[in-house]
Amino acid sequence: MDFKSILGENCKTGELLKDHTTFHVGGECKFFLTPVTEEQLCLCMDIIRKENLKYYIFGKGSNILADDRGFDGVIISTECLNDIIVHDGVYIEAGAGAGLDKISDYAMENSLTGFEFACGIPGSLGGAIVMNAGAYDGEMSHVLYQIKILSEDGGIKWKEASELELGYRKSNILANNEIVLAARLKLEHGEKEKIKAKIEDLNDRRREKQPLEYPSAGSTFKRPEGYFAGKLIDDAGLRGFKLGGAAVSQKHCGFVINYDNASSEDIKSLIKHVKDVVYEKFGVKLECEVRMI
Ligand SMILES: Cc1cc2nc3c(=O)[nH]c(=O)nc-3n(C[C@H](O)[C@H](O)[C@H](O)COP(=O)(O)OP(=O)(O)OC[C@H]3O[C@@H](n4cnc5c(N)ncnc54)[C@H](O)[C@@H]3O)c2cc1C
């Protein structure tokens, strides 16, 4: 069995990762696989593990900086595992590839509150769980109930959210070599009109504060304890600083943006420069939130 026989047209070769990342950066990968069922994903992982191939899971690629030299391995995109259903009144169950915006709309349509915080985060459910994504006082750990994972030994099981060691923008999923297949969120009954108004308000706040007109991966750095990364970068005089095609956003200094056809090297060099200058001026070590491949 090979990838093509499992996935047909959903097995691509030589796909450019810049077409699958919100930074719009990244070279060719050997295989780009888009399974449409969990079974297909598991069969592909069997091959990857048997043949000891390099692999990387993509949700929506909104927190990934992919190298222009490409990836000499297999990318598995969860894009098509995107069903969303509601059950037992307050639970939403969705596939790992379901978009957070879609889930948040779905919750609103079903008058369920608690997921509004995620409406403007351009990620998938799986990626958001791995990153314990959060915004506006909400984060995945507040609403996550259970996740369905494919474990390293090929077994599928449901885990409780409490087993994931969810912390600030982290979980233990990648360290355990697990893949999120689906998850259940526990929300609360609310009023549809109020939920809708909150979603609109949060989206307005994002449009006002964030450079959504440029490709990026959102906040480039984690929030250092006791500080705000954006403020430190601004105070270091780096607002709008450019290196090649990459720039520190004028609008929000916490965002490194692809200002003008940046290469992955431009972005990496700018990230390094920002870290060095902030450390030199304030003695604070910035840590990257963005994942590099
Ligand atoms: C404009 C913009 C605004 C943003 N705002 C926010 C914000 O407010 N708050 C916030 O927290 N983040 C924000 N982000 C960052 C990003 O959207 C989140 O981290 C998001 O949760 C990543 O989801 P994704 O599906 O894109 O994951 P990817 O970027 O595709 O992947 C992220 C990591 O998760 C892994 N992964 C993805 N899916 C799975 C899976 N099913 N199983 C196992 N591993 C998986 C990947 O291998 C990778 O290591 C923003 C990004 C942008 C571009």
Side-chain angles (χ1 to χ4, degrees):
M1 192 133 41
D2 59 18
F3 298 134
K4 199 90 193 165
S5 66
I6 298 167
L7 299 176
E9 298 208 325
N10 285 359
C11 163
K12 296 202 169 117
T13 48
E15 192 77 354
L16 288 174
L17 294 182
K18 69 177 185 183
D19 295 333
H20 299 277
T21 58
T22 55
F23 247 138
H24 294 178
V25 164
E28 273 186 20
C29 64
K30 209 164 176 181
F31 288 101
F32 192 92
L33 311 181
T34 314
V36 296
T37 63
E38 290 176 0
E39 291 71 24
Q40 286 184 345
L41 189 150
C42 296
L43 287 171
C44 293
M45 280 309 299
D46 281 348
I47 296 179
I48 288 170
R49 290 195 166 122
K50 264 188 212 125
E51 297 185 11
N52 208 10
L53 303 173
K54 270 201 286 183
Y55 74 97
Y56 201 86
I57 309 294
F58 263 50
K60 300 231 175 245
S62 66
N63 206 38
I64 289 174
L65 174 56
D67 199 291
D68 289 333
R69 287 169 297 180
F71 181 69
D72 183 26
V74 185
I75 300 288
I76 298 192
S77 164
T78 60
E79 194 184 332
C80 291
L81 302 176
N82 56 15
D83 287 345
I84 309 174
I85 52 165
V86 69
H87 65 88
D88 294 339
V90 291
Y91 296 93
I92 284 185
E93 184 171 325
L100 301 178
D101 54 344
K102 297 276 181 326
I103 298 175
S104 135
D105 278 353
Y106 187 85
M108 187 255 293
E109 288 301 337
N110 286 279
S111 302
L112 291 173
T113 185
F115 204 67
E116 296 90 324
F117 75 89
C119 63
I121 303 177
S124 66
L125 180 60
I129 294 170
V130 167
M131 298 301 304
N132 189 20
Y136 304 110
D137 295 332
E139 62 174 37
M140 293 305 294
S141 66
H142 299 171
V143 290
L144 189 62
Y145 178 56
Q146 291 170 325
I147 66 164
K148 189 180 192 182
I149 55 131
L150 172 64
S151 58
E152 201 174 6
D153 64 9
I156 293 180
K157 63 178 170 196
W158 282 93
K159 276 185 148 184
E160 301 300 316
S162 56
E163 294 174 72
L164 307 179
E165 294 170 19
L166 295 167
Y168 175 62
R169 301 295 172 265
K170 63 174 187 196
S171 66
N172 60 16
I173 296 167
L174 296 185
N176 289 341
N177 287 321
E178 293 170 336
I179 298 174
V180 183
L181 298 174
R184 292 181 184 139
L185 308 172
K186 188 173 183 198
L187 304 179
E188 287 174 14
H189 293 293
E191 285 174 45
K192 191 169 169 180
E193 284 313 310
K194 276 195 187 157
I195 298 167
K196 193 171 177 200
K198 188 161 178 193
I199 288 177
E200 280 168 7
D201 173 51
L202 293 182
N203 279 334
D204 285 348
R205 281 157 70 178
R206 246 176 220 279
R207 273 190 291 272
E208 193 188 315
K209 296 253 166 60
Q210 299 184 356
L212 302 182
E213 60 281 23
Y214 289 104
S216 78
S219 297
T220 312
F221 305 99
K222 292 187 177 182
R223 194 175 55 236
E225 224 171 301
Y227 300 93
F228 290 102
K231 168 119 180 46
L232 287 171
I233 296 166
D234 194 12
D235 292 348
L238 292 170
R239 182 179 290 270
F241 183 85
K242 294 194 184 84
L243 212 160
V248 171
S249 163
Q250 282 281 357
K251 199 168 175 184
H252 187 318
C253 293
F255 279 55
V256 166
I257 55 173
N258 180 350
Y259 176 75
D260 182 17
N261 281 314
S263 64
S264 57
E265 214 38 57
D266 291 344
I267 297 174
K268 278 188 203 163
S269 304
L270 180 56
I271 289 174
K272 183 175 180 313
H273 181 73
V274 168
K275 280 179 162 179
D276 288 349
V277 174
V278 166
Y279 186 66
E280 209 174 278
K281 297 218 166 172
F282 306 113
V284 179
K285 281 192 176 153
L286 291 178
E287 196 190 327
C288 236
E289 184 174 318
V290 175
R291 309 267 162 162
M292 316 259 181
I293 68 163

